[in-house]
Amino acid sequence: MNEIILLDSETVDKIAAGEVVEKPVNAVKELIENSIDSGATIISVEIKNGGIDLIRVTDNGSGIPTDQVKSAFLRHATSKLSSIKDLESLHSLGFRGEALSSISAVSKTELITKTGNELLGTRAVVEGGKLCVFENIGVPEGTTVIVSQLFYNTPARKKFLKSASGEAAAVEDLVEKIALSHPGISFSFTANSKVRFSTPGNGILKDTIYKLMGREVYSRLLDVELTDPVITIRGCIARPEYNLATREGEIFFVNDRFIGSKELSYALEQGFKNFLMQHRFPFGVLFIDIDPKLIDVNVHPRKSEIKFFDVACVCELVTKAVNDALREPELIPVATIGGTGPSADNGEPAPISQVSIDSNSSIAATQQGLEENVITEDFFGTNAAAEDKPVHIEPFETSKTDLIHTDKPLNIKSDIPRYEQSDMFEDRLIDDKPLKEYTILGQVFDTYWLISQGDNLFLMDQHAAHEKINYE
């Protein structure tokens, strides 16, 4: 039997670091969480070579006082709890006090920080867990942590890393999810000197989704909100017509902490039951706010999983919240002219332009305009001009039809979102009440009706409308 010995501090630090920092993405997560806990409203993240050569996280948070900087690099040193009782009411993201200690044990780490009450800031450099530089420096309020040559002293761990592009993709995905969890913080992410994205930090979740995932998702978002005595569920889901082949769009935050949960994924998918085809998955960003006493966040070394006191109850409420959101609007896709998205000035959705109806004209002029390739690209992804095939409109009764009249050529671009919520029906579900006055202008492609109603022009798929009436 081998003799039992006590490991030296350097070996202990490297072993402990392995539990927290296995990849660059783990180091980035720990540093961003510290920035959030410091009260930062602006956080920038920069990496090079997938984070192996460089990780830089800068924030405008409260900073670290000079006399506490050295303590910040010690194991189990934290400002976020003082006893085991604090774990029962924990609201911060990080709490173990191992972030800087673990990262600096396997890299060359530089910390630059300053509080609002100090005239000068502090710069500390730690290499392989050893303090090399400690000095005063003139810097703005906040904290910057620069991690270079990650795993330079643990080559065995470095050998098992993915390619630089793979590690960079993992970091980018992480920063995106953290940005979604805190829409009130402006995040920017730079990889190899190229800015990948930045978020507005205006507190509006939909605007953050727009910046990260684009107009296609943004234009299909529905609000989710449910309040229970012990839990609140809020966030956004996409309409069923936007769906994915994997579960990568199922994003959950519990008390603003990103977590992975098979139970919550199942609950979300149950909410979409009968709305999606098999083997297709929904998009949703859901926040679950719950009393910290009813969850355990310390069941995973990197806090990526949690344990609910009553997971069945939580999942039931998630399913209900999602299902209620899907049943609230009329889910008829409609092609519209114009687009939606946050405006450059105030972040509000841009208005959808409308087509006016002139009752003094005839349908023939409309057909002539279409045959002259006024429409550059139609709603259905084909280019009539390129194929030299005029679009044919078959009028029902030309004596009773109106003309689509605009001062400028009707220009429908393919990059504009193709589906928006129709407001042709006032009621949520179709009933037998008569609608307001409307006129059927004609039929396109033997499938789509052109319908005018007041100042609006609608394209209705007659087959889909028939199916919907049968369904309801």
Side-chain angles (χ1 to χ4, degrees):
M1 180 177 176
N2 294 331
E3 181 183 0
I4 297 175
I5 62 172
L6 186 65
L7 296 175
D8 60 83
S9 60
E10 183 177 358
T11 303
V12 170
D13 287 344
K14 289 182 180 179
I15 293 174
E19 298 176 357
V20 180
V21 183
E22 292 180 350
K23 301 177 180 180
V25 66
N26 304 140
V28 173
K29 178 178 183 291
E30 295 288 341
L31 296 177
I32 292 179
E33 289 182 348
N34 281 348
S35 293
I36 294 173
D37 289 339
S38 74
T41 58
I42 302 175
I43 300 175
S44 66
V45 180
E46 179 183 0
I47 64 170
K48 289 184 179 180
N49 193 29
I52 301 170
D53 291 348
L54 175 73
I55 297 172
R56 179 187 285 113
V57 178
T58 301
D59 66 62
N60 66 341
S62 58
I64 303 173
T66 299
D67 60 354
Q68 297 181 24
V69 169
K70 292 181 181 180
S71 298
F73 285 94
L74 299 177
R75 291 188 62 205
H76 308 302
T78 180
S79 62
K80 299 164 188 176
L81 54 81
S82 57
S83 69
I84 193 170
K85 292 183 179 180
D86 294 336
L87 288 174
E88 299 178 357
S89 58
L90 193 68
H91 292 279
S92 62
L93 295 176
F95 60 86
R96 286 188 310 261
E98 293 186 8
L100 287 176
S101 173
S102 297
I103 294 170
S104 62
V106 291
S107 70
K108 297 179 180 181
T109 302
E110 180 179 356
L111 171 70
I112 301 171
T113 186
K114 178 183 176 299
T115 66
N117 299 325
E118 295 178 316
L119 181 62
L120 292 174
T122 305
R123 174 176 177 262
V125 178
V126 179
E127 297 184 4
K130 298 179 179 180
L131 182 64
C132 300
V133 177
F134 188 85
E135 62 185 4
N136 290 330
I137 187 173
V139 290
E141 182 178 355
T143 300
T144 296
V145 179
I146 304 171
V147 180
S148 59
Q149 300 182 45
L150 189 62
F151 303 135
Y152 80 100
N153 56 353
T154 52
R157 187 169 300 142
K158 188 174 182 178
K159 183 173 61 176
F160 287 98
L161 294 178
K162 296 180 181 179
S163 64
S165 60
E167 297 295 345
V171 174
E172 183 169 3
D173 181 68
L174 169 78
V175 181
E176 283 184 355
K177 287 182 170 59
I178 296 179
L180 286 171
S181 70
H182 291 80
I185 299 176
S186 176
F187 284 88
S188 65
F189 176 68
T190 303
N192 297 327
S193 302
K194 181 180 179 181
V195 178
R196 299 288 297 173
F197 65 79
S198 61
T199 62
N202 60 3
I204 302 174
L205 175 61
K206 287 184 176 180
D207 286 1
T208 303
I209 293 175
Y210 177 82
K211 293 292 290 185
L212 295 177
M213 300 172 184
R215 181 178 293 174
E216 184 180 8
V217 179
Y218 175 89
S219 62
R220 293 166 171 81
L221 292 178
L222 298 173
D223 291 321
V224 175
E225 187 170 356
L226 182 147
T227 301
D228 188 77
V230 296
I231 188 174
T232 298
I233 300 171
R234 54 189 172 87
C236 298
I237 56 174
R239 298 172 186 272
E241 65 258 26
Y242 182 85
N243 51 79
L244 303 167
T246 67
R247 291 186 171 91
E248 63 181 6
E250 300 176 4
I251 303 171
F252 303 98
F253 302 102
V254 177
N255 293 351
D256 294 332
R257 183 195 305 277
F258 170 70
I259 58 102
S261 170
K262 294 180 180 178
E263 294 85 0
L264 292 180
S265 288
Y266 178 78
L268 172 61
E269 291 162 16
Q270 284 296 104
F272 274 84
K273 191 175 182 179
N274 300 326
F275 286 92
L276 288 180
M277 296 176 61
Q278 285 188 339
H279 310 301
R280 300 299 297 180
F281 301 95
F283 173 87
V285 180
L286 297 182
F287 293 77
I288 299 172
D289 301 320
I290 190 171
D291 188 335
K293 294 180 180 179
L294 301 179
I295 59 175
D296 184 356
V297 300
N298 202 22
V299 297
H300 192 277
R302 290 184 295 276
K303 307 185 290 296
S304 60
E305 298 175 7
I306 66 169
K307 184 177 181 180
F308 289 99
F309 177 74
D310 189 346
V311 67
C313 177
V314 173
C315 290
E316 182 180 349
L317 292 174
V318 168
T319 298
K320 182 180 185 306
V322 170
N323 200 257
D324 288 349
L326 288 170
R327 295 185 181 278
E328 182 63 26
E330 182 64 70
L331 295 176
I332 299 179
V334 59
T336 61
I337 299 172
T340 58
S343 66
D345 297 331
N346 55 16
E348 294 298 323
I352 300 174
S353 59
Q354 297 180 339
V355 179
S356 61
I357 306 299
D358 185 351
S359 60
N360 297 323
S361 306
S362 67
I363 193 69
T366 302
Q367 183 170 344
Q368 177 183 358
L370 292 171
E371 291 176 351
E372 292 174 355
N373 301 319
V374 174
I375 296 181
T376 58
E377 291 181 275
D378 60 53
F379 285 110
F380 317 106
T382 60
N383 190 317
E387 298 177 2
D388 290 326
K389 294 181 180 179
V391 179
H392 176 67
I393 295 183
E394 177 185 342
F396 289 111
E397 297 181 54
T398 56
S399 61
K400 295 182 180 180
T401 55
D402 299 329
L403 169 69
I404 306 172
H405 174 75
T406 58
D407 294 330
K408 298 180 179 180
L410 186 62
N411 184 20
I412 303 175
K413 298 181 179 179
S414 61
D415 61 345
I416 294 174
R418 301 180 179 181
Y419 302 108
E420 287 297 331
Q421 180 62 50
S422 169
D423 58 0
M424 184 176 184
F425 303 102
E426 294 180 354
D427 297 323
R428 184 169 63 89
L429 297 176
I430 296 175
D431 57 26
D432 57 0
K433 295 179 182 178
L435 298 174
K436 297 178 181 178
E437 287 189 15
Y438 67 91
T439 303
I440 299 179
L441 304 179
Q443 188 183 48
V444 183
F445 307 128
D446 296 324
T447 302
Y448 300 92
W449 290 348
L450 289 171
I451 304 174
S452 68
Q453 182 187 37
D455 292 333
N456 296 314
L457 173 67
F458 294 92
L459 273 174
M460 177 180 289
D461 184 330
Q462 59 183 343
H463 303 300
H466 180 241
E467 293 173 359
K468 182 167 183 64
I469 291 173
N470 288 338
Y471 174 78
E472 294 196 355

